[in-house]
Amino acid sequence: MFIEKFLCKNCHKLVTYKLFTDFTIMPILGEDVVFTETYGICKVCKNKICIPEKCGKNAERFYEEYRTAQEKYNGEN
Ligand SMILES: [Zn+2]
């Protein structure tokens, strides 16, 4: 895994971080959709760090899941 330094908003300095993937279950249109979110964890303060490239992907994935749920919902009605 490639580790680079990133700015932690809590420490106010460049820190090394660990990539972490979290699973959240979100009800979308009456359907429970599993949504995966990837972010960094600051090695110093253990705070969540939003990594731009990952955060963008998180949002993309969310919209994708949402679209899928919506299509399914529309198809059933
Ligand atoms: Zn920190």
Side-chain angles (χ1 to χ4, degrees), residues 7-13 15-16 41-49:
L7 184 69
C8 173
K9 279 180 189 161
N10 199 47
C11 300
H12 296 283
K13 59 183 178 189
V15 295
T16 50
I41 293 286
C42 170
K43 283 209 172 162
V44 180
C45 69
K46 314 284 181 219
N47 239 49
K48 218 169 163 177
I49 305 173

Side-chain angles (χ1 to χ4, degrees), residues 10-45:
N10 199 47
C11 300
H12 296 283
K13 59 183 178 189
L14 287 172
V15 295
T16 50
Y17 64 89
K18 210 174 140 188
L19 274 181
F20 196 78
T21 302
D22 209 3
F23 298 91
T24 316
I25 295 169
M26 269 193 232
I28 300 174
L29 301 167
E31 190 108 12
D32 283 342
V33 175
V34 181
F35 174 63
T36 49
E37 192 186 14
T38 306
Y39 50 85
I41 293 286
C42 170
K43 283 209 172 162
V44 180
C45 69

